[in-house]
Amino acid sequence: MGNSGSAVKVCTEHQGGINWLSLSPDGQRLLTGSEDGTARLWSTADSQCHGHFQGHESYITFCHLENEAAFTCSADHTIRKWDVLTGQCLAIYRGHTSIVNRILVAKDYLFSGSYDRTARCWSVDKEKQIQEFRGHRNCVLTLAHYSSKDVLDESEEEEEKMSTDLLVTGSTDCTVKVWWVSSGRCYQTLLGHTGAVLCLILDAPNRELFSGSTDYTIRTWNIVTGEQLKVFKEHQGSVICLELVNRHLYSGSADRTVKCWLVDTGERIQTYKAHRHSVSTLKYHAGILFTGSGDACARAFNSKTGVLQKIFRGHKFIINCIQIHNELLYTASHDGTLRIWDIRGICKRNKRRLKKERSVQVRSSQKGSLSRLFNNKVGCMVQQENGECEAVELV
């Protein structure tokens, strides 16, 4: 059973719930977007607030942080770009006619999805709309982006000289659509879900897209052909969040569980329980699965065994987003606080456990050096060629 952890620091500067938390690529800064209509910039070195971005006329729904620029989108129908050093608003992107609920920055493009049933593409530098993607019958909730070059193998890449960008959108109209960025045309519509599509995750090198829905399923698609490859059906509630690591897919659900699936076979190999409300966010780090929940707690599980290792208590409302950097866990909640937790202890224990497991695997694979191997739940006795026995703990 996991034990309770206390926060290293609690940041209370926001005057409203925090809807999103973004980590810069270099890991030096964090950005929070809040119901109070502002975004704040935090240093991961000293956990202090070093920027306060004000200008939106309504709450911020989502934010994204680059090394030198920050992006926020809002219920005021706009997206803003900010200078992280000065806090100055560098650009305002206008055009959406309803709440902008998701943004994505890729190359020189800024993509956005809105309750106005459209997605849009903007030039990051020129404050100009490049393309509008119109065709969904309801709001666009989630986005993904890839280049045609990402899905080509080496032989195809030699033949294909032009790289084409594609945008993927998931909507409450139960569909996923793939769009040509250059023309705004719909390349394909992926049909199969019977509920709103809440989350997308892309594995471009393997030509796969994963979508989670309120119909309780996760579906895998071939992004080149549009073919539905697999349906993962064991959840008993909406699939809210997804994480893909080493061909293992982790899914967080309103049924209060996270499940781990083998992507190649579709087999469910682990279920992580203990949550008392929906699982709202998750993050894999160093063999540990961290989750945030509507029960106001974050949790750390051994990703392999499913054993709960720690509970992080202190928030008052749902945890909307988590980030991890330098063995610190950052949790952002609808209670308006950003909490910082030291996870060095559980990371260290997990590394020792993984080391022992590798040691056991190496020893058991050394043919000729072992004559007999006895296993039980507590440990294994290894009889070596010289007749001596060594006890090795199994975790």
Side-chain angles (χ1 to χ4, degrees):
M1 182 69 180
N3 61 321
S4 179
S6 56
V8 174
K9 182 170 182 180
V10 182
C11 306
T12 60
E13 282 83 344
H14 277 297
Q15 301 303 305
I18 299 174
N19 288 326
W20 202 254
L21 173 64
S22 179
L23 179 68
S24 64
D26 61 13
Q28 293 183 13
R29 300 179 179 92
L30 287 157
L31 180 69
T32 50
S34 172
E35 293 276 322
D36 65 14
T38 74
R40 287 183 179 269
L41 193 70
W42 312 83
S43 167
T44 55
D46 60 14
S47 303
Q48 297 297 317
C49 180
H50 289 272
H52 188 203
F53 305 147
Q54 303 178 78
H56 279 296
E57 297 174 5
S58 187
Y59 61 90
I60 292 174
T61 55
F62 191 86
C63 59
H64 174 83
L65 184 58
E66 294 289 313
N67 290 334
E68 297 178 355
F71 298 85
T72 55
C73 61
S74 169
D76 69 7
H77 309 176
T78 71
I79 305 147
R80 288 178 178 250
K81 178 184 177 183
W82 311 85
D83 186 310
V84 299
L85 297 179
T86 66
Q88 178 186 0
C89 181
L90 301 175
I92 304 176
Y93 306 87
R94 305 181 191 273
H96 281 296
T97 58
S98 188
I99 297 169
V100 185
N101 45 59
R102 189 57 58 99
I103 51 177
L104 185 157
V105 177
K107 301 181 180 177
D108 296 324
Y109 297 130
L110 168 65
F111 298 99
S112 56
S114 169
Y115 274 85
D116 67 10
R117 305 182 182 186
T118 72
R120 299 178 192 235
C121 176
W122 315 79
S123 168
V124 169
D125 296 325
K126 296 181 181 178
E127 201 173 338
K128 176 185 176 185
Q129 181 177 304
I130 298 172
Q131 201 57 259
E132 180 179 313
F133 308 93
R134 187 176 290 274
H136 280 297
R137 299 189 309 277
N138 216 322
C139 58
V140 178
L141 291 181
T142 183
L143 307 169
H145 166 272
Y146 68 98
S147 166
S148 59
K149 185 172 64 175
D150 298 335
V151 302
L152 300 174
D153 60 34
E154 291 183 4
S155 60
E156 290 174 317
E157 194 171 351
E158 290 176 5
E159 300 170 7
E160 184 70 43
K161 301 300 182 185
M162 297 294 291
S163 174
T164 305
D165 289 284
L166 295 106
L167 176 69
V168 186
T169 55
S171 169
T172 55
D173 68 8
C174 310
T175 70
V176 176
K177 288 181 180 286
V178 185
W179 312 81
W180 299 108
V181 172
S182 57
S183 66
R185 288 189 301 107
C186 183
Y187 167 51
Q188 53 194 8
T189 300
L190 310 182
L191 300 173
H193 281 298
T194 57
V197 179
L198 301 182
C199 48
L200 295 173
I201 194 161
L202 188 65
D203 182 5
N206 287 297
R207 306 183 178 195
E208 291 176 334
L209 176 73
F210 303 87
S211 55
S213 169
T214 59
D215 65 11
Y216 303 179
T217 71
I218 306 149
R219 295 170 192 258
T220 313
W221 315 83
N222 182 304
I223 55 176
V224 176
T225 67
E227 177 189 3
Q228 182 175 282
L229 303 175
K230 293 185 184 72
V231 183
F232 305 89
K233 290 184 175 180
E234 291 190 30
H235 277 298
Q236 302 300 308
S238 299
V239 179
I240 297 170
C241 47
L242 296 170
E243 177 96 327
L244 181 66
V245 182
N246 298 328
R247 304 299 287 168
H248 288 67
L249 181 68
Y250 299 89
S251 54
S253 170
D255 67 10
R256 306 182 181 187
T257 72
V258 176
K259 294 184 184 292
C260 178
W261 316 80
L262 291 179
V263 169
D264 296 325
T265 65
E267 178 188 3
R268 192 266 303 154
I269 60 171
Q270 192 59 259
T271 298
Y272 308 85
K273 300 178 181 179
H275 310 92
R276 297 182 179 180
H277 205 285
S278 301
V279 179
S280 47
T281 182
L282 53 86
K283 185 78 68 175
Y284 176 97
H285 176 75
I288 305 168
L289 185 68
F290 293 89
T291 64
S293 172
D295 63 16
C297 292
R299 291 174 173 83
F301 296 87
N302 180 301
S303 63
K304 187 173 181 180
T305 66
V307 173
L308 177 63
Q309 295 185 311
K310 198 159 193 173
I311 303 174
F312 304 89
R313 293 188 176 96
H315 283 296
K316 295 179 181 177
F317 299 117
I318 182 174
I319 296 173
N320 288 322
C321 193
I322 58 180
Q323 292 288 349
I324 297 166
H325 179 66
N326 277 351
E327 298 191 342
L328 289 173
L329 171 68
Y330 299 85
T331 57
S333 167
H334 203 69
D335 65 13
T337 68
L338 171 67
R339 290 178 181 256
I340 305 167
W341 318 80
D342 189 339
I343 57 173
R344 284 176 296 181
I346 54 176
C347 288
K348 188 179 294 185
R349 288 197 301 274
N350 202 59
K351 286 175 183 176
R352 287 200 300 265
R353 184 179 292 111
L354 291 172
K355 188 176 181 180
K356 288 178 182 179
E357 289 176 356
R358 283 195 295 268
S359 175
V360 170
Q361 290 169 359
V362 168
R363 290 167 192 235
S364 63
S365 66
Q366 290 175 337
K367 296 178 180 179
S369 64
L370 303 177
S371 58
R372 292 169 64 195
L373 181 65
F374 300 95
N375 286 288
N376 57 40
K377 291 183 180 178
V378 178
C380 65
M381 295 300 295
V382 180
Q383 184 175 346
Q384 301 175 329
E385 288 182 331
N386 61 9
E388 295 180 356
C389 289
E390 178 183 6
V392 182
E393 183 185 358
L394 291 177
V395 180

